[in-house]
Amino acid sequence: MKTTEDRAVARSSRSRVDARKVVKPLRSIAIFGAVGALVAAVALPAYAATKPAETATTLQQMAAVDAQSLVVASDATSAPLSRGTFTATTPGEIEKKKAEEAAAARAAAAAASVASTSGTKIDTGRYALVSPGSGEVRYPLPQGSYNVSRTVGGAHQGADMLAPAGTPIYAAAAGVVRASAESIGGYGVAVMLDSVVGGQRVQTTYGHMIYGSRQVQAGQTVAAGQLIGFVGSTGRSTANHLHFEVWVNGGLMEPIAWLGANAG
């Protein structure tokens, strides 16, 4: 039979075993808790350090985008669209206006050049009868095909437009053929037209054409820009050119300036 002392020793042994059974799980829990705390201590500051920067960057980007949109809106409403002196709206119309102004500038420069060469001062203020480029007045020779050697001055009553033989000659304005012949005085082969431009009576003469090149006859009605003959050197002429005269209401005009003011 066990004594009281033996029973006490047995109870003590069981208590130690039970204590170890309890302590061992608690130790594991404590270890896991420590590891978790360590991970949290490392990860949370890093996350806290990066998260505000990311948020700040996003806000800066949004602010930049908003600022840009505001600048664009401000520019769009405050800056007027400028087309210079043009009233046209399409690219084609703008280019046409530019070409017309350039042609007028070239014509004015040519008129000034030939006028200074001849020593005659030309007043072109009353030359415009119609809107430049309207088509009511056309150049008698293709643009770029001629050079003006001289114009009105002294006994010379027109502009000499030097061009290769056979260059086409066109009616400067619509009208009726007053004269068309193989020989008209010093003009040689020539055509003369009577027209009305801007309500004014206009007479134009085209001299020194090639023999047999006239395309119209006296009494015939012609349109502005219609072919009437070809450049030659007939009559009192020493080189191939068109002698072009313009008279308005019986007054002699300087032809190159008149063309620039009315044909564009």
Side-chain angles (χ1 to χ4, degrees):
M1 291 181 66
K2 294 182 178 180
T3 62
T4 303
E5 183 178 352
D6 292 333
R7 285 194 297 268
V9 171
R11 282 195 302 270
S12 176
S13 297
R14 283 195 302 270
S15 298
R16 283 195 297 271
V17 171
D18 292 338
R20 282 197 296 270
K21 288 181 180 181
V22 172
V23 168
K24 190 173 182 180
L26 290 176
R27 184 183 303 166
S28 299
I29 292 171
I31 292 172
F32 282 121
V35 171
L38 179 61
V39 170
V42 173
L44 288 178
Y47 176 78
T50 57
K51 190 63 176 179
E54 180 180 346
T55 303
T57 301
T58 303
L59 292 175
Q60 290 172 358
Q61 291 173 348
M62 292 175 62
V65 171
D66 290 341
Q68 185 177 14
S69 65
L70 289 174
V71 170
V72 171
S74 175
D75 290 344
T77 54
S78 64
L81 180 62
S82 175
R83 297 191 181 95
T85 59
F86 304 122
T87 57
T89 56
T90 66
E93 291 175 343
I94 292 174
E95 289 303 318
K96 182 180 178 181
K97 287 289 185 182
K98 287 182 179 179
E100 290 173 357
E101 290 189 0
R106 289 195 300 269
S113 176
V114 294
S116 62
T117 302
S118 64
T120 303
K121 185 176 181 180
I122 304 298
D123 179 12
T124 61
R126 56 191 176 89
Y127 276 32
L129 302 180
V130 293
S131 299
S134 66
E136 195 168 345
V137 175
R138 308 287 186 88
Y139 279 84
L141 296 180
Q143 289 294 310
S145 68
Y146 64 89
N147 292 308
V148 179
S149 62
R150 62 172 179 164
T151 187
V152 175
H156 196 254
Q157 297 182 328
D160 287 345
M161 306 170 75
L162 300 177
T167 300
I169 301 172
Y170 304 104
V176 178
V177 179
R178 174 164 46 91
S180 176
E182 289 293 286
S183 180
I184 303 179
Y187 297 119
V189 181
V191 170
M192 298 178 177
L193 301 180
D194 289 334
S195 308
V196 176
V197 178
Q200 307 299 312
R201 182 168 52 89
V202 177
Q203 295 175 323
T204 52
T205 298
Y206 312 79
H208 308 310
M209 295 182 184
I210 294 175
Y211 287 114
S213 68
R214 291 174 298 116
Q215 304 296 302
V216 294
Q217 300 299 325
Q220 182 177 340
T221 300
V222 299
Q226 181 175 330
L227 179 66
I228 60 175
F230 296 89
V231 170
S233 185
T234 57
R236 288 197 297 270
S237 172
T238 58
N240 293 307
H241 71 283
L242 168 65
H243 176 89
F244 180 59
E245 287 185 21
V246 178
W247 298 74
V248 177
N249 294 327
L252 182 63
M253 301 283 109
E254 195 289 303
I256 304 303
W258 184 82
L259 286 171
N262 294 281

